[in-house]
Amino acid sequence: MLGVRNLHKSFGSNQVLKGIDFEVNEGEVIAIIGSSGSGKTTLLRCMAFLEQADDGTFMFDDLSKDIRTISKKEIKEIRMKMGFVFQSFNLFRNMTALQNVMEGLTTARKIPAEEAKKTSLEMLEKVGMLDRANYYPDQLSGGQQQRVAIARALATKPEVILFDEPTSALDPELTGEVLEVMVKLAREGTTMVVVTHEMEFAKNVANRVIFMENGVVVEEGDAKEVLTDPKQEATRRFLRRILRKEEEE
Amino acid sequence: MDNIFLHFGDRFIRIVRILIESFPKLLVPCLKITITLTLFSFFFGLILALIIALVQVADIKGLKQFARFYVWIFRGTPLMLQLFIIFYGLPSFGIFFNGYVAAIIAFSLNLAAYNSEIIRSAIQAVPVGQSEAGYMVGLNYFQVMTRIVLPQAARIAFPPLFSSLIGLTKDTSLASSITVIEMMSVAKRIAAVYYEPFWMYMEAGFIYLMICTILTKMQTAFEKSMEWKQPDEAVLVKEVTEKQDLEREDRGLR
């Protein structure tokens, strides 16, 4: 449904993605793991056209095209069917939680305000933020902001939602409330691509795990298999390091 | 001793009388010229500044270079010189303005250069993540600018823009150099008539100070109203009950 083939991306002389193949099917939850600098966030951002990839094929529904030739109009159409949740939430600071969720419906999709509001309130309820509907982002905790951001991504009924390390910017005690919402979405069959450091989440919720290192996909497969019995040495090394860090905490 | 006190008392009464008599004579040109000059110049200057800033932010080829050139010229030369060129210089090309119009043109053009830099930096101070989030919910460039970036930039730019308004109020006194009869030139004339320059300029200064005090009070009030703050408890309760009503309706339908 969403995928890339042979994706390349460099920042200056620094090659960040060295020919990535990636695909997510409808209803799937994919976790992309790897240490920082492995290129996993760049991969996600390239698929949302927040970064311009240098080479590769981009696939979305029936569209399959050289990623460099995709027009602005096509990008906009693709984004209309895509949700994105940022590491730093990026809620519109000049709008309340409710207005944040409504914005994509009223301004971008020209849905009447009454209808948009109804949908938005439902989404806020789903993430447990209904009682904060009229609060501004600055008045919400990180976890609350991220839950509103998820509601905002959900409101437009996207075919797939991309999560860029959604809990990394949160205090440890706040990650739970966000993960809880994401588990709920996964159970409902939402198609999700999640760049994450949360191994428990990856193990229990994801169908498939992709392990990246130095701009290439090192290992890919069933989530439980990759995380409990990895085939590659690099994956094993990474998991050991993560485990040790978690124990220290 | 008596004489000295008498003399002192006479002089005191004379000064008070001059101050009281001259006050309306200063206040009228202040309201008619100084304030209107300030408001017109600031209004046109702000519109021009916004255009110059947006052209640079949007990176429109050619126009961007022109905008930089414009800012370079108008920030790099004295305001007084700009006034003189427009009022005394342009007539040699057959372009005539009266002093008041020439002053508005010069102040607007000059102010636009400074304010465009304030607006440009305010726009650039809005985190890029805000626009990215806008694009990801499906907004286009124009919508991202008008709905997200500019409202946030306005709040950042407001205090320095207001400072430039306050600065302009006093800079309008330069218009006296191109025959405009504003508060400063009136004060000068009265000072010459009574030969009391100290007290006349003190009085004019007092009026400028009063205008700026009012402006500062306005700034504080505006800034307060621009805060993205806690909602009314009442609004919140209303929203939640509305939502509950919706749910009840839904259940009824099922």
Side-chain angles (χ1 to χ4, degrees), chain A residues 205-216:
Chain A
V205 183
N207 308 104
R208 240 180 334 128
V209 162
I210 288 174
F211 172 66
M212 284 180 68
E213 196 173 66
N214 295 326
V216 292

Side-chain angles (χ1 to χ4, degrees), chain A residues 45 76 79 86 90-95 103-104 107-109 117 122 125 130 134-136 139 152, chain B residues 129-130 132-139 143 147-148 151-152 228-231 239 242-243 246-247:
Chain A
R45 288 175 60 85
K76 196 170 174 233
R79 282 173 172 164
F86 296 85
N90 294 350
L91 287 183
F92 308 132
R93 292 188 58 207
N94 55 326
M95 297 182 191
E103 189 62 17
T107 307
R109 288 166 185 78
K117 188 170 170 185
E122 277 166 19
E125 178 166 49
L130 190 58
N134 288 312
Y135 281 63
Y136 283 91
Q139 302 170 312
R152 178 174 68 179
Chain B
Q130 293 286 314
E132 287 182 348
Y135 291 123
M136 288 318 297
V137 299
L139 303 183
Q143 291 165 335
R147 301 280 306 164
I148 297 158
Q152 293 187 33
W228 302 313
K229 57 173 185 285
Q230 190 112 2
E239 297 287 341
E242 263 174 26
K243 169 69 191 165
L246 279 175
E247 281 173 355

Side-chain angles (χ1 to χ4, degrees), chain B residues 45-142:
Chain B
L46 197 60
I47 291 173
L48 191 57
L50 188 63
I51 295 169
I52 293 169
L54 286 175
V55 155
Q56 293 177 71
V57 173
D59 206 355
I60 301 169
K61 290 262 143 46
L63 281 179
K64 184 186 175 180
Q65 280 70 23
F66 176 77
R68 293 313 305 165
F69 177 75
Y70 178 94
V71 172
W72 177 63
I73 292 290
F74 279 91
R75 283 203 310 179
T77 56
L79 176 54
M80 178 93 96
L81 179 138
Q82 292 160 18
L83 276 167
F84 280 16
I85 286 186
I86 289 167
F87 185 70
Y88 295 117
L90 289 186
S92 51
F93 297 96
I95 305 167
F96 294 89
F97 297 112
N98 69 42
Y100 186 72
V101 174
I104 289 179
I105 294 173
F107 291 143
S108 304
L109 295 178
N110 182 273
L111 205 67
Y114 284 94
N115 286 355
S116 73
E117 288 293 281
I118 292 174
I119 295 172
R120 185 177 64 87
S121 62
I123 290 174
Q124 283 164 349
V126 176
V128 66
Q130 293 286 314
S131 329
E132 287 182 348
Y135 291 123
M136 288 318 297
V137 299
L139 303 183
N140 59 32
Y141 180 80
F142 180 77

Side-chain angles (χ1 to χ4, degrees), chain A residues 2 22 24 28-34 40-41 43-44 47 83-85 146 150 160-168 178-179 182-183 185-186 190-199 201-202 205-212:
Chain A
L2 166 68
F22 172 88
V24 53
E28 252 189 330
V29 177
I30 296 191
I32 304 177
I33 60 170
K40 51 194 194 311
T41 288
L43 169 64
L44 205 69
M47 289 193 292
F84 200 100
V85 175
Q146 194 62 300
I150 292 173
V160 54
I161 304 181
L162 311 181
F163 293 81
D164 180 15
E165 304 196 27
T167 57
S168 300
V178 173
L179 290 174
M182 291 171 63
V183 170
L185 296 184
T190 316
T191 313
M192 295 158 68
V193 181
V194 187
V195 169
T196 186
H197 290 293
E198 299 286 340
M199 291 305 137
F201 174 82
V205 183
N207 308 104
R208 240 180 334 128
V209 162
I210 288 174
F211 172 66
M212 284 180 68

Side-chain angles (χ1 to χ4, degrees), chain A residues 5-49:
Chain A
R5 210 167 290 145
N6 194 29
L7 191 75
H8 284 83
K9 170 72 187 170
S10 301
F11 292 109
S13 60
N14 181 19
Q15 249 199 313
V16 183
L17 299 177
K18 305 167 184 166
I20 303 279
D21 293 330
F22 172 88
E23 194 166 2
V24 53
N25 300 309
E26 204 183 322
E28 252 189 330
V29 177
I30 296 191
I32 304 177
I33 60 170
S35 45
S36 37
S38 60
K40 51 194 194 311
T41 288
T42 308
L43 169 64
L44 205 69
R45 288 175 60 85
C46 281
M47 289 193 292
F49 299 93

